[in-house]
Amino acid sequence: MQNDFAHEVANQRQTDPDLAVSARELTKRFGRFTAVDGISFDVRRGEIFGFLGANGAGKTTAIRMFCGLLPPTAGEAQVAGYDVRTQPRMIKQTIGYMSQKFSLYEDLTVAQNIEFYGGIYGLTRPQIEHKTGLLLDELNLRDRRDTLTQSLPLGWKQRLALSVSLLHDPSIIFLDEPTGGVDPISRRNFWRIIYEIADSGKTVFVTTHYMDEAEYCGRLSIMYQGRIIEIGTPGGLKEKYGLDTMQDIFVHLVGGDTRKEAKQ
Amino acid sequence: MRRRLMAIIRKEFIHIFRDWRTLLIIILMPILMIVLYGYAITLDMRNIVFGVIDDARTPDSRALVDAFAENGFFRTLPRDVRRNEMESLFMRRDVHMVLVIPEDFSADLTQNRSAVVQLIIDASDSNVGTFVGNYAEQVLGIYNQRMNHAVPALFEIAPRIFYNPDMNSTNFFVPGLVALILMLISALLTSIAITREKETGTMEQILVSPVHAREIVLGKVLPYVLLGLVNAALILLSAWILFDVPVRGSLALLGLLSLVYVFVALSFGLMISTVARTQLIAMFGTLMATILPTIMLSGFIFPIASMPELLRWIANVLPATYFLIIIRAIMLKGVGSAELWPQALILSGIGTLLLTAATRRFRMRLE
């Protein structure tokens, strides 16, 4: 089944302008350990594409290769039509990225964080001022403008981090486990924003190990030990396996041994 | 380029000023260090206690003892020393030297025979031993001339001591301390600056942006150059106020070359931060890589010329080696840029090399 799917994508043209992300036999090895093992898939523009997998399945390593943070060991990948190997800078200007670790400056105020990240993407001062105003209104943080980021609740920090990663208006946004450690209500709110982002025409590439989040994705791939073992829409996969939830599908595919690693 | 660089510089300044406790430490630590080390490290000997066994007990013998005691270097043990207690006095370090004047001292003098006095010196610290011996010989020489003006000496050496006429070792050490402290503090500042961001994860967020390595590196160094200069000014001011170390040359030249030196040290710290994974490793590495070589090999205490060849090679690539020459020359000798340009050039070269290496090592990718 994995081979069928690999053939299918391999036959498509790689420079399709409709493709946001495309990977062909993309591989990353650290010494003798293979973190990502020949993954191939395409993501169309405007999709919400999910990477589902247990911790250590290779999701973060894959996403880092797409963001130009890690050079691949073998295989190819294009992001927004740019090659990850040769054009990482073009990719970086085009994409947004939010890591699983909260990565705003805790000792900077909300406004200072926005100003800094706007600045390193080359935004002008008036552009930054304008964006800051919009963003604070959107997040309802206007009166927290000069609060230190460390004093915000985690849910807000993550929404702020997401907004900051969108400052330069990227066409593709990579979210690496964006909702880790956040309560279910904040998570649902977060996903509402993800839908808004996708509605505005941006591609959302999201990794998660939450099964309920997998249900929200337009299409998703299940990663296990560095390989993509299944790919499709949540509805399509349920039909294919005759199962009711993503949880059941995941357990069916990966087996009971990793059950405890994948959270409800 | 300029916008991204400015964003990093501005952010770095916010970090520096937000954390005023660290800022205070950065500013006070160098002053504290120069006070502590400045008073502790000295090779000058004062108040060397010596015992006297005077078997002659004549006006001549007392004049000899007075000749020793009449300046600040020697002080007599305020009682007579018995022969059998001499060893225990040395062992308890009560005296550094014992002067034994024989019974027939005066008789020899009056009969124009050569009088012999004995000096027993504790040389367990060879520096002290040499110093005591040399100085005692000089005192004896003066005394000899005083008693014996009839016979002129065959020839006389008349030394004239330049640049540090009192041979005050503070004047030698304090400029060295300035070099040591500036190197240590500056390198520490930048070595933490990047590893901190690696640890908190913000570095990853910067790396996915289109920022160039050179923008990150410059953006990190430039704010700290200012801090380093403030440090340099405070240390020099302390040296001048507390230790009376003169600045005979141009203050502007000293400032300019200190700036170059601070830049070298900051680049070195940055180099370390591109290798170290955690702030702790970065700090420890910086301490090891700056303090030891600077103290031992830069000419801070030990002259480079007398080192084995291998160590001399190492000394030749240490930034402190060149800055020591510069700072001692400007402060003590009043030397100007006409004589110091080779050292200034080498320092700038080392700085540029380190900064380039740091930029290269600083990988835009996380691997």
Side-chain angles (χ1 to χ4, degrees):
Chain A
M1 143 207 337
Q2 188 194 341
N3 282 343
D4 289 350
F5 147 76
H7 271 288
E8 196 181 295
V9 280
N11 291 335
Q12 283 176 357
R13 275 189 56 78
Q14 289 185 5
T15 47
D16 190 337
D18 253 7
L19 290 183
V21 180
S22 87
R24 293 293 173 275
E25 294 296 324
L26 191 65
T27 302
K28 181 69 197 180
R29 278 188 282 270
F30 297 103
R32 302 174 71 180
F33 171 68
T34 305
V36 173
D37 191 2
I39 59 171
S40 302
F41 62 89
D42 287 323
V43 179
R44 307 205 151 268
R45 287 188 189 271
E47 263 195 293
I48 299 178
F49 185 82
F51 253 20
L52 180 67
N55 292 330
K59 295 170 298 185
T60 298
T61 306
I63 227 169
R64 282 185 172 166
M65 283 193 278
F66 294 130
C67 293
L69 287 174
L70 276 178
T73 313
E76 280 175 49
Q78 267 120 38
V79 172
Y82 300 115
D83 189 283
V84 294
R85 229 187 278 273
T86 56
Q87 300 167 291
R89 190 169 303 283
M90 300 302 293
I91 292 176
K92 286 172 178 178
Q93 190 68 54
T94 327
I95 61 159
Y97 171 73
M98 185 184 158
S99 82
Q100 56 188 331
K101 203 169 166 187
F102 177 71
S103 50
L104 296 178
Y105 292 89
E106 301 262 358
D107 64 331
L108 258 55
T109 66
V110 172
Q112 284 166 342
N113 264 300
I114 299 173
E115 188 188 328
F116 171 68
Y117 281 111
I120 60 171
Y121 279 100
L123 267 57
T124 62
R125 194 149 266 279
Q127 278 175 322
I128 292 174
E129 301 263 313
H130 177 68
K131 285 271 185 186
T132 306
L134 284 181
L135 209 145
L136 292 176
D137 278 343
E138 204 178 286
L139 296 177
N140 245 329
L141 280 175
R142 187 160 278 286
D143 53 330
R144 299 286 205 111
R145 184 192 165 96
D146 297 317
T147 323
L148 289 189
T149 312
Q150 62 195 19
S151 58
L152 293 179
L154 184 63
W156 277 12
K157 281 183 189 171
Q158 259 151 336
R159 286 191 55 187
L160 180 62
L162 177 63
S163 306
V164 164
S165 66
L166 290 168
L167 272 178
H168 57 295
D169 204 20
S171 65
I172 307 167
I173 172 113
F174 289 90
L175 306 172
D176 190 10
E177 309 220 351
T179 56
V182 173
D183 63 87
I185 294 168
S186 301
R187 231 156 77 198
R188 186 155 305 188
N189 286 335
F190 199 89
W191 271 89
R192 195 164 293 140
I193 301 169
I194 291 180
Y195 273 98
E196 281 169 23
I197 294 169
D199 284 345
S200 71
K202 297 185 195 306
T203 312
V204 179
F205 193 119
V206 58
T207 74
T208 183
H209 58 253
Y210 291 111
M211 294 302 151
D212 58 337
E213 288 192 347
E215 308 269 0
Y216 297 144
C217 296
R219 212 153 55 88
L220 63 103
S221 65
I222 296 173
M223 273 194 92
Y224 179 64
Q225 294 188 343
R227 282 190 288 272
I228 290 179
I229 53 171
E230 187 54 280
I231 192 164
T233 62
L237 292 178
K238 285 175 195 168
E239 207 171 305
K240 178 173 173 184
Y241 290 98
L243 295 166
D244 290 336
T245 62
M246 284 313 299
Q247 166 88 17
D248 293 336
I249 296 171
F250 187 78
V251 172
H252 171 77
L253 286 170
V254 171
D257 58 315
T258 49
R259 186 175 195 166
K260 51 185 173 294
E261 286 179 52
K263 292 176 194 159
Q264 182 75 45
Chain B
M1 160 84 187
R2 216 175 52 92
R3 239 179 263 151
R4 293 190 296 247
L5 182 62
M6 287 312 290
I8 297 176
I9 290 176
R10 202 176 301 125
K11 185 216 70 173
E12 216 56 42
F13 271 122
I14 297 173
H15 283 314
I16 293 171
F17 290 114
R18 172 89 68 224
D19 191 1
W20 62 268
R21 280 188 206 89
T22 310
L23 186 64
L24 208 65
I25 293 172
I26 292 169
I27 289 173
L28 290 183
M29 193 160 76
I31 299 178
L32 199 72
M33 281 172 81
I34 199 159
V35 170
L36 285 178
Y37 289 115
Y39 283 115
I41 303 180
T42 171
L43 290 184
D44 295 342
M45 312 252 4
R46 301 226 159 240
N47 295 320
I48 300 161
V49 181
F50 73 106
V52 181
I53 298 174
D54 185 358
D55 292 334
R57 297 178 180 280
T58 59
D60 294 328
S61 72
R62 270 190 292 279
L64 179 62
V65 174
D66 288 344
F68 271 96
E70 73 192 2
N71 51 60
F73 292 103
F74 288 99
R75 195 156 53 82
T76 36
L77 199 69
R79 63 184 175 84
D80 282 344
V81 173
R82 276 167 289 124
R83 275 204 163 68
N84 56 6
E85 66 168 343
M86 201 165 66
E87 186 138 16
S88 76
L89 281 177
F90 276 131
M91 283 183 165
R92 283 195 310 246
R93 299 180 62 87
D94 283 351
V95 296
H96 268 110
M97 177 183 90
V98 172
L99 176 68
V100 185
I101 306 173
E103 218 180 322
D104 45 7
F105 177 68
S106 284
D108 284 343
L109 283 182
T110 45
Q111 290 162 31
N112 261 338
R113 278 198 308 256
S114 179
V116 179
V117 293
Q118 188 183 27
L119 277 175
I120 303 166
I121 297 166
D122 170 7
S124 56
D125 179 336
S126 65
N127 264 336
V128 175
T130 314
F131 182 86
V132 170
N134 286 344
Y135 204 81
E137 232 163 82
Q138 277 184 45
V139 172
L140 288 176
I142 293 168
Y143 180 82
N144 241 338
Q145 271 191 337
R146 226 184 264 163
M147 304 298 291
N148 248 336
H149 1 242
V151 188
L154 279 181
F155 66 89
E156 221 178 320
I157 295 171
R160 163 116 198 261
I161 295 152
F162 269 30
Y163 307 127
N164 187 4
D166 299 335
M167 298 228 265
N168 187 349
S169 75
T170 308
N171 283 355
F172 178 72
F173 279 124
V174 170
L177 274 177
V178 175
L180 174 68
I181 297 170
L182 265 186
M183 169 56 81
L184 173 68
I185 300 284
S186 307
L188 268 182
L189 286 178
T190 39
S191 75
I192 296 173
I194 280 184
T195 36
R196 185 182 54 213
E197 296 216 29
K198 278 193 209 168
E199 279 188 76
T200 55
T202 46
M203 190 46 75
E204 195 176 336
Q205 202 66 46
I206 295 180
L207 289 177
V208 289
S209 78
V211 172
H212 288 268
R214 59 169 186 274
E215 288 161 353
I216 301 178
V217 165
L218 271 182
K220 287 279 179 186
V221 164
L222 291 179
Y224 289 107
V225 166
L226 199 73
L227 214 54
L229 262 190
V230 171
N231 264 336
L234 285 173
I235 297 172
L236 285 172
L237 205 66
S238 321
W240 184 59
I241 293 173
L242 295 172
F243 300 104
D244 254 346
V245 180
V247 180
R248 299 207 171 93
S250 150
L251 205 58
L253 182 66
L254 185 58
L256 180 74
L257 294 180
S258 300
L259 179 75
V260 175
Y261 182 62
V262 163
F263 161 74
V264 174
L266 289 171
S267 306
F268 182 63
L270 214 55
M271 180 73 199
I272 290 177
S273 77
T274 60
V275 186
R277 280 180 192 280
T278 66
Q279 291 185 64
L280 207 67
I281 295 176
M283 273 171 85
F284 191 70
T286 308
L287 286 176
M288 292 299 288
T290 55
I291 293 188
L292 266 178
T294 305
I295 290 184
M296 309 301 290
L297 300 177
S298 70
F300 174 58
I301 299 178
F302 311 110
I304 296 171
S306 54
M307 289 175 192
E309 195 168 346
L310 178 72
L311 295 185
R312 248 188 347 241
W313 280 16
I314 301 174
N316 280 339
V317 297
L318 289 180
T321 304
Y322 301 99
F323 189 62
L324 269 172
I325 297 173
I326 290 174
I327 191 172
R328 280 179 181 148
I330 295 179
M331 289 179 83
L332 303 181
K333 300 189 194 171
V335 171
S337 51
E339 290 82 13
L340 291 176
W341 65 265
Q343 281 80 16
L345 206 66
I346 294 172
L347 266 189
S348 319
I350 296 177
T352 314
L353 212 69
L354 281 171
L355 200 68
T356 315
T359 313
R360 289 201 162 205
R361 279 223 40 111
F362 189 83
R363 300 172 194 153
M364 292 308 286
R365 294 164 185 250
L366 271 179
E367 201 174 21

